[in-house]
Amino acid sequence: MGLFSRIILLLLKFFLNMKKVLVIGACGQIGTELVLSLRQVYGTDKVVASDVKVYANDTFLDGPYKQLDVLDREAVRAYIIAEKFDHVYLLAALLSATAEKNPDFAWKLNMEGLFTVLDLAKEGHIQQIFWPSSIAVFGPTTPKQNTPQYTVMEPSTVYGISKLAGERWCEYYFKQYNVDVRSIRYPGLISHTSLPGGGTTDYAVDIFYQAKKTGKYTSFLDQDSALPMMYMEDAIRATIELMQAPKEQVKIRSSYNLAGISFTPETLASEIKKHLADFTISYAPDFRQDIADSWPDSIDDSHAKNDWGWQEKFGLGEMVSEMLTHVDISKIS
Ligand code: SER
């Protein structure tokens, strides 16, 4: 690298590091890992983790933590205005399976916090927002294979309805008020660091804990239920890359499709068997089967690739060996 490029890179790093960042809902599946990665990029003291929990996850102890209830609009407003955050990542939400058990609360939680931060950005108190969407925005009438970015969207879960409504509002605030909001439709996320909570795709994490602990697993989805999934390391990198992309490259202000890796419980079990030959799987589908049946089998993410250069790293084989190496079974009872 030449001297000029090195100076540009240093300047870029300097300006990036000037950002002050707030992650709301930081103790959840994505936040737990995202906060650590953001602290590597922007500096530990520049990234505040916040959650409704009074005490932070142990992993956040080296940096700032703020107890914040996203439903307390006035408290969130006062804190963000006083602290002058540049970027806000709003992750607080109920996932698909939990939301079906408490639709009123899910709608309230998933929508109200979004309006609070969109309004703050509209008033000039936040420069950039990240808000996660999901493959749950698609529904039973959506084409299942290689689901396009733009297609029929008739979600049948309260989670999917809230994410689709949120996407429309994000685009509206961008177009009407120039709010720089960015979003990804995450596939099911698979991580060995943080446990998921209440999703339809959670089987693809639980299976690793049970494979290591007991050598067997009963899946709550049928053997041939294909769903798009993604290894957390890729998901975190995608999030940070999207947030760092030049504004004009972020052409979609609803939410970007990301493909990840599509597989069925049966395919995942076969891959695990390559490492643990005695592993067995059985199937006992429950109410989550209907949710899975309404979602795509696989996703087309060519817009993310073309607009901001997205490229995934982890395939099924790499993901399975990473998970089996790192999953810590002492985390589950
Ligand atoms: N992983 C989520 C869920 O299953 C989908 O976004 O609810």
Side-chain angles (χ1 to χ4, degrees):
M1 193 186 290
L3 183 63
F4 181 70
S5 316
R6 241 180 292 173
I7 291 171
I8 295 288
L9 200 68
L10 276 174
L11 281 174
L12 257 176
K13 277 194 160 176
F14 176 75
F15 284 116
L16 283 175
N17 285 341
M18 296 294 287
K19 302 275 183 262
K20 203 168 165 191
V21 179
L22 175 66
V23 181
I24 300 176
C27 294
Q29 192 196 11
I30 300 172
T32 306
E33 296 202 28
L34 183 63
V35 167
L36 302 183
S37 298
L38 289 171
R39 284 181 177 168
Q40 279 170 7
V41 177
Y42 299 107
T44 300
D45 55 340
K46 292 273 169 47
V47 179
V48 178
S50 87
D51 201 279
V52 72
K53 286 164 80 169
V54 177
Y55 298 107
N57 291 359
D58 290 350
T59 42
F60 299 153
L61 294 180
D62 63 333
Y65 180 78
K66 167 82 178 165
Q67 196 266 336
L68 210 53
D69 178 356
V70 73
L71 291 177
D72 187 345
R73 183 175 164 93
E74 285 319 310
V76 174
R77 282 187 62 84
Y79 182 64
I80 289 177
I81 291 171
E83 295 293 324
K84 300 189 177 17
F85 288 102
D86 299 285
H87 292 186
V88 173
Y89 292 73
L90 173 59
L91 307 179
L94 283 199
L95 291 185
S96 59
T98 319
E100 285 311 295
K101 293 184 176 155
N102 200 349
D104 295 350
F105 179 68
W107 175 256
K108 188 176 165 69
L109 178 66
N110 293 4
M111 299 307 296
E112 284 186 12
L114 177 60
F115 281 113
T116 302
V117 295
L118 285 174
D119 285 337
L120 281 163
K122 176 184 163 189
E123 293 162 26
H125 298 296
I126 302 168
Q127 306 319 314
Q128 234 176 278
I129 297 170
F130 180 82
W131 178 78
S133 186
S134 160
I135 52 164
V137 292
F138 300 114
T141 51
T142 302
K144 279 201 168 310
Q145 306 299 332
N146 224 16
T147 302
Q149 175 72 39
Y150 301 107
T151 184
V152 179
M153 297 168 89
E154 296 183 321
S156 52
T157 61
V158 65
Y159 177 65
I161 296 169
S162 71
K163 288 295 177 189
L164 182 55
E167 285 191 8
R168 303 318 306 148
W169 280 111
C170 287
E171 191 184 281
Y172 187 87
Y173 270 68
F174 172 72
K175 285 192 171 153
Q176 299 297 326
Y177 312 121
N178 201 22
V179 166
D180 189 354
V181 55
R182 305 173 182 209
S183 177
I184 285 171
R185 291 174 182 153
Y186 290 122
L189 297 179
I190 300 174
S191 157
H192 58 81
T193 308
S194 48
L195 292 167
T200 303
T201 54
D202 292 9
Y203 91 85
V205 179
D206 300 342
I207 194 170
F208 290 101
Y209 286 88
Q210 293 305 328
K212 274 181 91 167
K213 193 175 170 188
T214 66
K216 53 183 194 264
Y217 182 66
T218 304
S219 168
F220 58 76
L221 296 185
D222 251 336
Q223 58 186 46
D224 50 6
S225 280
L227 284 172
M229 304 275 184
M230 180 172 270
Y231 193 51
M232 188 64 90
E233 199 174 308
D234 268 346
I236 299 293
R237 188 168 53 81
T239 307
I240 294 177
E241 284 179 12
L242 175 61
M243 285 294 272
Q244 292 186 336
K247 200 172 171 183
E248 62 282 3
Q249 283 180 19
V250 185
K251 295 185 181 130
I252 292 174
R253 296 303 182 138
S254 50
S255 191
Y256 276 97
N257 275 10
L258 278 199
I261 329 157
S262 283
F263 54 79
T264 63
E266 189 178 32
T267 317
L268 181 57
S270 310
E271 196 64 37
I272 291 174
K273 272 189 201 191
K274 290 184 187 165
H275 302 259
L276 302 170
D278 294 334
F279 174 68
T280 57
I281 186 163
S282 53
Y283 303 93
D286 65 15
F287 74 101
R288 289 168 282 193
Q289 185 64 50
D290 285 343
I291 301 178
D293 287 344
S294 76
W295 290 352
D297 291 358
S298 60
I299 300 277
D300 169 23
D301 64 1
S302 47
H303 283 269
K305 291 194 157 103
N306 293 336
D307 289 359
W308 43 278
W310 169 242
Q311 190 56 59
E312 71 283 350
K313 280 193 185 147
F314 285 87
L316 181 62
E318 292 100 326
M319 185 274 281
V320 168
S321 51
E322 285 273 309
M323 285 297 284
L324 287 173
T325 309
H326 297 293
V327 147
D328 171 7
I329 57 169
S330 71
K331 277 193 196 154
I332 55 161
S333 48

